[in-house]
Amino acid sequence: MSLLVRLSLILLASAAGIAHPTWADEVAPVATIVSFASDEGLARLARARAKVDFPVLANQFEAQSNGAFCGPTSAAIVLNAQGLPDAQRPHDHRRLQAQDLRFLPKGADLSLPRFTQDNVIEKGAKTRAQVLGEPVTRNGKQVSEFGYQTRQLDEMLRANGLSTQLVIVDDQKPEKEIRADLIGNLTRPGDFVVINYSRKAVGQAGGGHISPLAAYDSQSDSILVLDVNPSKAGWVWVPTSMLVRAMRTFDSVENRGYILVGATR
């Protein structure tokens, strides 16, 4: 049975109040990540109460086009999830080549009104070249910083018109407050949360990574991460304490963290 069919069936069962026959009445919190595509992963989504962001984010989801674009991809997803009118969304023509347009009627435009992982970069302070490794000067030294740090991503989101609240998860930030921010956001429609975390800290290969969150399951005390690099790892449920530890890790100049994303200004 396909993932889409299984997901549809359990969501229908959840809406109707029908228990999944393989679910246990109580599931102890786990200390490992769980694939969203597994039976347990789908069951968590079905029973979760904090999942209002999942449908709109899943509908707008796209995979990053290269290894440095997890930040821009996450930004494009949450911007498109805002549901703005066509007139307020840009047209990105760079994905159509000149030869693709040879037979179009005069004045026709095949591009769609949509934020993309390419055009969201244009309004931010960090240039595309810098995202892809162009050296910058820091403390008198030339350094290459691929991708985005949390603070840089927050600036780019604001430049694209979003209201944000940046939270750096340093040693002084209590886990209780972080939990309240993340879970509270996932229970409210119209706002989203994007995190910067260490893959290694959640048991995955790789370094720092950025992705949006989509749901919280209280029974397993885990949060669904919509990993924007499915060629490396799929969507996963991560124990909340583990996710906090993964954000409480050092990036280039400060710790990682999360961004609470509100409506466009």
Side-chain angles (χ1 to χ4, degrees), residues 138-196:
R138 178 181 296 138
N139 298 326
K141 296 181 179 180
Q142 290 282 294
V143 295
S144 292
E145 294 180 342
F146 291 88
Y148 282 79
Q149 297 169 41
T150 316
R151 195 174 298 275
Q152 293 171 334
L153 180 63
D154 179 67
E155 185 278 329
M156 186 258 276
L157 290 169
R158 288 175 173 270
N160 277 277
L162 290 172
S163 299
T164 67
Q165 179 184 343
L166 169 68
V167 180
I168 299 299
V169 182
D170 55 25
D171 292 339
Q172 286 70 49
K173 185 68 174 176
E175 180 173 326
K176 182 178 180 181
E177 293 182 8
I178 299 170
R179 284 174 166 271
D181 279 348
L182 301 184
I183 297 170
N185 184 284
L186 293 169
T187 62
R188 294 188 302 270
D191 60 1
F192 306 98
V193 57
V194 176
I195 65 168
N196 182 358

Side-chain angles (χ1 to χ4, degrees), residues 64 197-209 227 229 232-233 246:
Q64 64 187 86
Y197 64 106
S198 164
R199 281 195 182 279
K200 184 178 180 180
V202 300
Q204 296 177 328
H209 190 50
D227 195 318
N229 188 358
K232 190 174 186 68

Side-chain angles (χ1 to χ4, degrees), residues 29-238:
V30 295
T32 58
I33 61 177
V34 172
S35 169
F36 170 73
S38 67
D39 287 341
E40 170 62 18
L42 294 172
R44 291 185 187 189
L45 181 66
R47 70 182 178 229
R49 294 293 176 261
K51 57 185 176 186
V52 68
D53 290 345
F54 177 82
V56 286
L57 291 175
N59 188 53
Q60 300 295 344
F61 183 84
E62 62 179 279
Q64 64 187 86
S65 62
N66 64 67
F69 272 22
C70 55
T73 305
S74 299
I77 292 170
V78 297
L79 278 159
N80 286 316
Q82 295 286 334
L84 296 174
D86 287 356
Q88 296 182 33
R89 288 179 288 167
H91 285 254
D92 193 338
H93 296 92
R94 78 195 73 201
R95 296 188 181 186
L96 289 170
Q97 302 176 14
Q99 62 188 24
D100 299 329
L101 310 177
R102 289 179 298 163
F103 305 109
L104 287 183
K106 186 177 181 180
D109 185 0
L110 288 180
S111 68
L112 300 175
R114 184 169 182 80
F115 293 94
T116 70
Q117 53 195 280
D118 295 299
N119 64 27
V120 295
I121 298 174
E122 296 170 351
K123 291 188 177 180
K126 190 167 189 176
T127 68
R128 182 185 180 92
Q130 291 168 351
V131 174
L132 293 170
E134 180 182 56
V136 296
T137 302
R138 178 181 296 138
N139 298 326
K141 296 181 179 180
Q142 290 282 294
V143 295
S144 292
E145 294 180 342
F146 291 88
Y148 282 79
Q149 297 169 41
T150 316
R151 195 174 298 275
Q152 293 171 334
L153 180 63
D154 179 67
E155 185 278 329
M156 186 258 276
L157 290 169
R158 288 175 173 270
N160 277 277
L162 290 172
S163 299
T164 67
Q165 179 184 343
L166 169 68
V167 180
I168 299 299
V169 182
D170 55 25
D171 292 339
Q172 286 70 49
K173 185 68 174 176
E175 180 173 326
K176 182 178 180 181
E177 293 182 8
I178 299 170
R179 284 174 166 271
D181 279 348
L182 301 184
I183 297 170
N185 184 284
L186 293 169
T187 62
R188 294 188 302 270
D191 60 1
F192 306 98
V193 57
V194 176
I195 65 168
N196 182 358
Y197 64 106
S198 164
R199 281 195 182 279
K200 184 178 180 180
V202 300
Q204 296 177 328
H209 190 50
I210 295 170
S211 287
L213 304 182
Y216 170 74
D217 172 43
S218 60
Q219 191 166 308
S220 62
D221 188 26
S222 61
I223 292 177
L224 179 59
V225 181
L226 300 188
D227 195 318
V228 297
N229 188 358
S231 63
K232 190 174 186 68
W235 298 358
V236 291
W237 291 93
V238 181

